[in-house]
Amino acid sequence: MPVCASRHGGSKSCSGWFAPRLACGLVVLLAAMANDGVGASTAADDDICKARSVLEELDARDRTGLEAILRRAAQTANSEAVLWRIERPGIEPSYLFGTVHIADDSLQDLPQAVREAIARSKVVALEAGELSRRALKYAMRQAGPLMVAHDRPLERILASDELEIIERALVNASFPREMALGFKPWAVTMLLTDSDCQRKKQQQGLRSIDLLVAEKAKSQGLSPVGLETLVEQYESLAQLPDDVQNAWLRSSIALHERSDDMVHTIAELYRFRRIDAVWDLTRLMAPKAGMTDAVLADLKNALVGKRNARLHVRARPLIDQGGVFIAIGAMHLIGEEGLVSQLRRDGFIVTAIN
């Protein structure tokens, strides 16, 4: 039996993408925005979405190594829950909910505790308040200068076979082939998250947890507010040092053919409360990409650390008023600099609910 199932119970297999790019909300959104969800699949429907669990694969190959990775993830501060209650005398309780920004079959129903928390709230806040396709396209137009490179850096840093993978991925995402080499590495990394399977799921109506929260809020007459703009999220990635962008891109190229397996696995890690394992697993699965300790630290700081500070500052006025439900990527909750720890240092009582 796979390690995660044997330790935590639940489904028979440890199924659910562990690339660190899923720590932030713009990832799948950017791919969907580029493609518009209407790309035609070239494979029979039954063959499109046969994803395999990377955890099961590693369990069979190196159970001891996988156990070590999962044990480190379990030791990450505040990783044991995804729903937290925030309390302070004199104000209504608020809630903090960690999400993953993927559409997976196993994550299409909000837990009862989450639905009840939203029902008790007066305000619902997401990383980005407006998630419509129209808003995403507008943000992409605004961020255009951040994405384009006039000196064609991809030709300098990638081998011919890697460039071919990028060209195919961008053509599948409805970009002209001649545009492929004109993007900066971070922007190409975003677009490599797309696949026939993900497009099929979008067409079938599968939604990310963030969209499920937004729909629940709107059913109660609440309009979700955003803690960040999409352009701010893009700016965080555009500011990554060149060596970090390059290593991130090369790991994404190495894992591109397994993107559906990765989505499947990130959902598993989320369900089993081991989300911090994404960093170790990415390096393990793409060992030649150049993901050194220093590169991983810079990437994690850009995707999570710096944005934690911004999310915390913008969430505080809402929490001080009480009665707010905040849904952001689960990576922003965990660790000593995650929002759970930061709110406790602010004097709030933060209790694990689910």
Side-chain angles (χ1 to χ4, degrees):
M1 180 179 290
V3 173
C4 56
S6 63
R7 286 179 174 268
H8 307 291
S11 63
K12 290 184 178 179
S13 67
C14 302
S15 56
W17 188 23
F18 51 70
R21 50 186 173 272
L22 291 176
C24 54
L26 63 154
V27 186
V28 174
L29 301 178
L30 179 57
M33 172 174 48
N35 186 271
D36 238 3
V38 296
S41 173
T42 58
D45 282 352
D46 289 344
D47 296 329
I48 292 175
C49 292
K50 290 185 176 180
R52 296 187 303 158
S53 170
V54 171
L55 300 183
E56 286 187 342
E57 174 185 323
L58 293 176
D59 183 47
R61 192 172 73 202
D62 181 10
R63 171 169 289 203
T64 300
L66 178 59
E67 285 180 331
I69 289 173
L70 296 177
R71 186 165 54 250
R72 283 194 294 272
Q75 293 169 350
T76 303
N78 308 315
S79 62
E80 72 272 19
V82 295
L83 178 64
W84 301 78
R85 185 171 57 244
I86 307 166
E87 297 174 286
R88 176 182 275 175
I91 61 175
E92 293 182 53
S94 292
Y95 297 90
L96 185 60
F97 179 44
T99 71
V100 282
H101 313 294
I102 58 174
D104 186 81
D105 306 71
S106 68
L107 301 175
Q108 292 304 295
D109 294 309
L110 293 175
Q112 180 65 26
V114 171
R115 296 197 299 270
E116 292 174 355
I118 296 174
R120 288 192 289 266
S121 300
K122 298 178 295 187
V123 175
V124 171
L126 306 173
E127 282 181 42
E130 180 56 76
L131 299 177
S132 70
R133 198 170 298 280
R134 178 179 178 182
L136 296 172
K137 286 185 174 181
Y138 175 77
M140 191 175 185
R141 288 195 295 270
Q142 294 294 107
L146 299 173
M147 302 173 68
V148 176
H150 299 293
D151 57 347
R152 298 165 69 92
L154 301 185
E155 289 183 313
R156 297 196 308 271
I157 63 176
L158 299 178
S160 58
D161 57 334
E162 293 174 316
L163 291 171
E164 288 176 7
I165 292 173
I166 290 174
E167 287 186 347
R168 287 198 304 269
L170 293 183
V171 169
N172 287 340
S174 300
F175 285 99
R177 183 179 297 275
E178 58 269 20
M179 289 182 63
L181 301 181
F183 284 111
K184 294 181 179 179
W186 75 266
V188 176
T189 301
M190 297 296 96
L191 292 165
L192 285 174
T193 65
D194 204 10
S195 72
D196 285 344
C197 178
Q198 290 299 300
R199 288 191 289 272
K200 176 187 174 185
K201 288 183 176 182
Q202 294 161 18
Q203 293 163 359
Q204 292 176 337
L206 266 68
R207 293 149 295 175
S208 68
I209 298 176
D210 309 74
L211 288 173
L212 292 172
V213 169
E215 289 175 2
K216 175 63 175 173
K218 291 174 182 178
S219 74
Q220 297 178 194
L222 301 175
S223 296
V225 300
L227 300 179
E228 293 180 311
T229 68
L230 290 171
V231 173
E232 284 176 325
Q233 293 180 344
Y234 299 151
E235 288 172 342
S236 296
L237 298 183
Q239 292 167 4
L240 282 168
D242 288 345
D243 62 327
V244 177
Q245 287 195 42
N246 297 346
W248 190 23
L249 173 59
R250 298 195 76 171
S251 68
S252 299
I253 292 171
L255 296 172
H256 178 60
E257 294 301 320
R258 304 201 61 183
S259 61
D260 297 325
D261 295 343
M262 308 312 182
V263 170
H264 188 61
T265 304
I266 200 71
E268 285 185 324
L269 294 174
Y270 176 78
R271 295 198 309 272
F272 290 105
R273 309 298 188 253
R274 297 292 184 270
I275 195 66
D276 202 47
V278 299
W279 308 99
D280 283 339
L281 288 173
T282 297
R283 176 157 52 182
L284 180 64
M285 296 298 291
K288 299 179 181 180
M291 281 288 186
T292 64
D293 288 343
V295 167
L296 272 176
D298 284 345
L299 184 60
K300 191 171 184 178
N301 186 47
L303 293 179
V304 182
K306 289 182 178 179
R307 293 179 58 227
N308 281 353
R310 180 163 62 207
L311 292 167
H312 174 238
V313 166
R314 294 181 182 174
R316 269 300 306 270
L318 300 174
I319 296 171
D320 289 341
Q321 294 174 11
V324 61
F325 182 94
I326 299 172
I328 57 177
M331 279 287 185
H332 297 295
L333 275 59
I334 65 175
E336 296 300 336
E337 297 307 315
L339 265 66
V340 172
S341 290
Q342 291 195 53
L343 290 171
R344 284 176 175 157
R345 289 196 289 269
D346 290 342
F348 290 95
I349 300 170
V350 187
T351 307
I353 301 299
N354 180 266

